[in-house]
Amino acid sequence: MKTLRLLLGDQLNSQHTWFKEVNNQVVYALFEMRQETDYAKHHIQKVVGFFAAMRAFKEQLVQAGHQVVYYTISDQRNLQNLPANLLQCIKEFGIERFEYQLPDEYRLDEQLKAFTHSISIPFAVVDSEHFLSSRIEVKQLFEGKKQVLMETFYRQMRKRYQVLMDGDAPVGGKWNYDAENRNKWKGTPAAPTITVSKTDVSKLVEEIQQAGVTCIGEIRTDAFHWPITREQALQQVEVFVTKSLPFFGQFQDAMSSKEPFLFHSLLSFALNTKLISPLEVVQRAVEEWKAKPSTITLPQIEGFVRQIIGWREYMRGIYWWKMPEFAQLNYFNHQTKLPHYFWDANTKMNCVKEAVSASLQQAYAHHIQRLMVTGNFALLAGIHPDEVDAWYLGVYMDAIEWVEVTNTRGMSQYADGGIVGSKPYISSANYIDKMSDYCGGCTYDKKTKVGAKACPFNSLYWHFFERNRTLLQGNQRLGMMYNVWNKMPADERAAIVQQAEHYLARLEEL
Ligand code: FAD
Ligand code: SF4
C-alpha cells in the first residue's frame, strides 16, 4: 500500500524502526514551512539549525535508498502549511495510507489529529522512539496526589533504567548531590572548547532571508557550530564527556562574562531534534564516569544524569498532563510588556546585559542565566508570561514548546501557581553576585536597596513579596523570607517599596 510518512523538523531520529528497511511503497515527507518559521520570532541560528539538520537528514535517507519528498522554504510547490502540503503529496504520489510519529508539540498534535479526520485514507500514529517515559506517565504518577515532585519521578526513572543504581539503592547511598553543586567559577579550571562542528551555512541563510522570513539574533555563517547530523552530535557528546563532565555538576550554577558555555554540554538542540537519544547520552556519560572515577566524581555524573532522565522527561510529562491550559496560566496576573533590552541588550544592569547578549549572539544561555537572571528579572518586574514565553520560544536554539513553556511559565515565572516548582525562583543581587562576576562591572550597586545606584533586583525582590502577600504568605518555603521582611523597620520597608515602584515605572530605562 503506497504510504506517506511525515517527518517533522524535530523528528530526525535515524535509529527509528521506520528506517530499518527500505520499502519502495513508502515516501517520506519533510517540509520547511512558514507555518513553522512564523509562529514565533525565532533566532536566525534556530531556523538555520532546523533546516540544515532536516536537509542533512534527507540526504542520509536518500543515500540509504529511501524515497523522499522534500520542500525547501523557497520551493515553488511549497504551500507553507502542513495540511496543505500533505494533501498535495497524497494526490501527487497516489498515497493510500498516511503515517506520522507522535508530535511533541500540542499545536502540531491537534493539527495532525484534525488532518487525519479530514482525509478518507487510513492512517496510523507511531511513537517517536526517543523519550524514556510515555506522555502520560507523570500524570499517572501524580494525579490526585498532594505533592508533585520531580525527585519522585527521577528516582523511578533511575530504577527503571538502572542508571547509577546498585540494585534498588542509589550508587553512593544518595539520590541527589545538588547541594554540592553550587560553586562559583573563578577562572580555573579553564573551560574547554566543546563545539565541534563548523558548517558553512551562508547559502542557507541567504535563502531564508530571500524567502522573507524575519529573524532575531546573530549568526556566524562560515562556521555554524551547532551539530546538524547524528555524527556531529555524537562527536559533541564525546568532547563533552571527556572534557567538561569532570566539572559539570560543580560549576552547573556558575555564570561568567568570559565563558558563556562553561562546562555545559550544548546538547539540547541535538537532543530536542532527536539526532541523539537521551539514553545513549546518559549511558555514554556513565561509562566515562565508570572508567575514570577519580576524574569524574559522583556529584558530577549524578548532576548530569538528573537533568536528562529527570528534568527533561519530567517537563515533557507535565506538558502533556497540563496542556492546553498550562500555556494560558498567569498566577500573579502580570500584565507588563517585556522591556526593549530583552531584544537589544541595551541596559545598565550588567547581568541582564550579559545574559541577553549571549542569547542574541549564541542562541544559547545556560540554565542559571535563563532562570536566575532573565527569568528572575521578568518575574520581579511583573512581565506578562505570554511576553516572556514568546521571547524564550524565539531566542533559544533548543526552544520547542513542550520544554520551553514548562520551564518558562512553570519553573521560571511560577505562572502555574506551583505545579512545576514549590516556590518562585527569585533572588536579589546577593545570589547573582555569589554565582557570577557580573556585579563587579555593573553601574548599579549590588549592596544597596535604595538610592540612585541601588541594584533594581534588591528592591524589586522585596516588592515582589509585599505585592504578592495574599498569594504567597501561606507557602511554608517562603515563611523565613516573610519573617525577615516583616521584621524590617517600617520606614525601611516603605523606602524599599518606593524604590521598587520608581523602577517599575521606569522599566524601559533601567
Ligand atoms: P546542560 O546544562 O549541559 O544539561 C544537559 C541536558 O539536560 C540539556 O541539554 C537538556 O536536554 C537537559 N536539561 C537540563 N535542564 C533541563 C530542564 N530544566 N528542562 C528540560 N531539560 C533540561 N531547555 C530546552 O531544551 N528548551 C527550551 O526551550 C528551554 N527553555 C528554558 C527556559 C527557561 C526559563 C529555563 C529556566 C530553562 C529552559 N530550558 C530549556 C532548560 C535548560 O536551560 C536547557 O535545556 C539547557 O540550558 C540547555 O543547555 P545544555 O544543553 O548546555 O544543557
Ligand atoms: Fe545585576 Fe544588580 Fe549585580 Fe548589576 S548589581 S549585575 S543589576 S545583580
Side-chain angles (χ1 to χ4, degrees), residues 7-291:
L7 290 167
L8 295 167
D10 65 347
Q11 294 178 334
L12 310 180
N13 175 7
S14 60
Q15 309 303 295
H16 196 278
T17 320
W18 269 1
F19 310 118
K20 289 260 176 316
E21 58 186 49
V22 175
N23 181 341
N24 63 10
Q25 288 300 297
V26 173
V27 181
Y28 290 97
L30 292 103
F31 311 122
E32 299 171 5
M33 291 175 288
R34 294 302 294 264
Q35 165 186 317
E36 296 306 299
T37 58
D38 296 3
Y39 74 86
K41 201 167 219 190
H42 302 288
H43 198 292
I44 180 70
Q45 292 188 37
K46 184 180 173 192
V47 178
V48 167
F50 271 91
F51 287 1
M54 287 165 71
R55 289 180 185 198
F57 196 72
K58 172 226 159 190
E59 280 312 313
Q60 197 186 330
L61 290 184
V62 170
Q63 270 169 28
H66 298 286
Q67 207 181 327
V68 184
V69 54
Y70 191 100
Y71 291 177
T72 63
I73 193 74
S74 48
D75 196 313
Q76 293 296 313
R77 299 168 298 172
N78 195 341
L79 300 169
Q80 307 292 351
N81 156 291
L82 184 56
N85 279 343
L86 286 171
L87 267 187
Q88 183 163 278
C89 291
I90 286 174
K91 277 193 201 131
E92 184 184 338
F93 295 97
I95 296 295
E96 298 159 298
R97 179 181 167 85
F98 172 60
E99 294 181 1
Y100 67 102
Q101 296 181 12
L102 273 181
D104 289 322
E105 282 193 289
Y106 186 83
R107 97 196 139 84
L108 288 164
D109 201 51
E110 289 295 297
Q111 194 178 32
L112 282 163
K113 274 188 209 153
F115 176 73
T116 49
H117 286 123
S118 74
I119 53 176
S120 51
I121 55 173
F123 68 91
V125 193
V126 302
D127 197 86
S128 62
E129 301 176 9
H130 171 84
F131 291 99
L132 302 172
S133 52
S134 79
R135 274 185 180 182
I136 54 162
E137 216 165 309
V138 169
K139 178 179 173 180
Q140 282 173 335
L141 185 63
F142 294 112
E143 195 162 44
K145 301 246 169 79
K146 258 192 177 169
Q147 271 197 321
V148 180
L149 282 180
M150 195 291 286
E151 187 67 25
T152 314
F153 170 80
Y154 169 53
R155 291 179 188 188
Q156 181 170 295
M157 297 297 283
R158 289 262 300 268
K159 282 185 202 159
R160 181 183 311 159
Y161 288 93
Q162 283 295 300
V163 179
L164 301 179
M165 293 300 293
D166 197 352
D168 264 354
V171 167
K174 265 168 66 176
W175 288 99
N176 188 316
Y177 291 82
D178 206 21
E180 294 171 39
N181 286 344
R182 290 177 188 151
N183 294 9
K184 184 171 183 161
W185 183 71
K186 294 180 181 155
T188 50
T193 304
I194 67 154
T195 50
V196 290
S197 318
K198 282 195 173 64
T199 315
D200 186 336
V201 291
S202 42
K203 285 214 173 76
L204 179 54
V205 171
E206 245 172 65
E207 202 180 325
I208 290 167
Q209 284 164 348
Q210 273 166 13
V213 177
T214 51
C215 291
I216 54 169
E218 300 164 27
I219 187 163
R220 190 163 160 198
T221 54
D222 61 335
F224 185 72
H225 70 72
W226 297 100
I228 54 161
T229 63
R230 177 169 166 79
E231 288 65 37
Q232 289 175 352
L234 288 173
Q235 226 183 320
Q236 187 153 326
V237 173
E238 280 310 303
V239 179
F240 167 73
V241 298
T242 49
K243 293 189 180 174
S244 306
L245 187 56
F247 309 104
F248 178 83
Q250 206 180 331
F251 298 112
Q252 201 175 345
D253 291 359
M255 298 178 279
S256 163
S257 53
K258 293 172 196 80
E259 290 290 346
F261 307 141
L262 282 171
F263 302 95
H264 292 273
S265 68
L266 272 66
L267 287 171
S268 49
F269 175 72
L271 278 165
N272 294 354
T273 47
K274 305 185 181 64
L275 291 173
I276 46 175
S277 84
L279 193 57
E280 70 187 329
V281 173
V282 161
Q283 283 174 341
R284 178 64 193 95
V286 169
E287 183 188 88
E288 190 71 9
W289 163 72
K290 280 186 180 156

Side-chain angles (χ1 to χ4, degrees), residues 336-349:
T336 306
K337 253 179 78 67
L338 205 60
H340 68 88
Y341 34 86
F342 274 78
W343 304 103
D344 59 22
N346 192 6
T347 166
K348 297 192 283 294
M349 293 180 288

Side-chain angles (χ1 to χ4, degrees), residues 240 248 252 261 263-269 271-272 304 306-308 311-313 315 364-368 370-372 374-375 392-393 396 398-409 411-413:
F240 167 73
F248 178 83
Q252 201 175 345
F261 307 141
F263 302 95
H264 292 273
S265 68
L266 272 66
L267 287 171
S268 49
F269 175 72
L271 278 165
N272 294 354
F304 184 67
R306 180 162 16 98
Q307 305 314 315
I308 297 193
W311 279 111
R312 187 169 184 269
E313 297 284 326
M315 289 309 209
Y364 179 88
H366 68 69
H367 189 69
I368 295 300
R370 298 185 202 196
L371 186 66
M372 297 312 293
T374 41
Y392 279 96
L393 191 57
Y396 293 119
D398 52 33
I400 305 183
E401 195 193 46
W402 66 269
V403 59
E404 177 280 320
V405 76
T406 42
N407 271 293
T408 303
R409 206 171 275 254
M411 184 187 279
S412 141
Q413 298 302 292

Side-chain angles (χ1 to χ4, degrees), residues 348-352 429 432 438-439 442-446 455-457:
K348 297 192 283 294
M349 293 180 288
N350 198 38
C351 53
V352 176
I432 296 174
Y438 296 153
C439 298
C442 188
T443 309
Y444 293 106
D445 176 10
K446 66 186 181 192
C455 166
F457 281 82

